[in-house]
Amino acid sequence: MAEPAAAGGGSKKRVWIIAAAAVAVLVVIGVVIAVAKGSSDNSPDSQVTASISTYTAGLAAGDLDKLRGITCGTQHDFYQNISADQFAGVYRTSKEQKSIPVVKSVDAVKITGDSAIAQATVYTEADPAKTSSRTFNLQHTTDGWKVCDPANTPH
């Protein structure tokens, strides 16, 4: 009687393997579609949106190098001049307070020459149901779009 039990267990194991393989195939198809869709739209608006995604991913992961690479102006200066230890402390506190912004959507992008302003809907993990508008200012450089502080305006 030990053999039929083992055979039954083997059937269940095969079903799980087939189900896992099917899920893996669906994930691969989803990734391929997302990459194909993203690569087909290389418009300036999409590039701005991608830069915002890179920036917020850097914030979420506490990736100082990514933040140094995707920012310009005084934001870039801040990330360049903060030590890795100081940044780790700020990141840890922000993570504990769940105050790192998450972009729900980029709602509008306005590009004027080498400058862009993007309106986004954001939330924090502290209260995902509470969204707010956030403006991202970007500058186009030889390395692509960078997230910057708004340009200083004369008084």
Side-chain angles (χ1 to χ4, degrees):
M1 288 207 168
E3 276 185 42
S11 293
K12 286 181 181 179
K13 186 176 180 180
R14 263 185 256 130
V15 169
W16 281 108
I17 291 171
I18 291 169
V23 169
V25 168
L26 291 175
V27 168
V28 169
I29 290 170
V31 169
V32 168
I33 290 170
V35 168
K37 183 179 179 185
S39 65
S40 67
D41 185 4
N42 199 24
S43 69
D45 285 13
S46 292
Q47 292 173 19
V48 165
T49 300
S51 292
I52 293 169
S53 293
T54 299
Y55 174 73
T56 55
L59 288 175
D63 187 336
L64 184 56
D65 288 334
K66 185 176 282 188
L67 293 169
R68 287 174 174 164
I70 196 65
T71 56
C72 59
T74 55
Q75 279 191 3
H76 178 73
D77 294 344
F78 171 78
Y79 291 120
Q80 278 298 120
N81 295 325
I82 192 169
S83 73
D85 289 340
Q86 287 174 315
F87 180 75
V90 171
Y91 172 73
R92 187 172 36 257
T93 300
S94 297
K95 196 73 172 164
E96 288 168 359
Q97 295 174 350
K98 299 181 178 183
S99 62
I100 297 171
V102 177
V103 175
K104 180 177 181 181
S105 62
V106 175
D107 306 314
V109 174
K110 181 178 182 192
I111 299 173
T112 307
D114 285 339
S115 297
I117 296 175
Q119 271 308 119
T121 301
V122 300
Y123 63 90
T124 63
E125 289 182 13
D127 191 357
K130 182 180 177 186
T131 61
S132 62
S133 286
R134 161 110 191 246
T135 301
F136 289 91
N137 294 277
L138 296 96
Q139 190 71 36
H140 192 263
T141 70
T142 55
D143 295 329
W145 288 98
K146 307 282 183 167
V147 176
C148 305
D149 289 325
N152 292 335
T153 53
H155 290 78

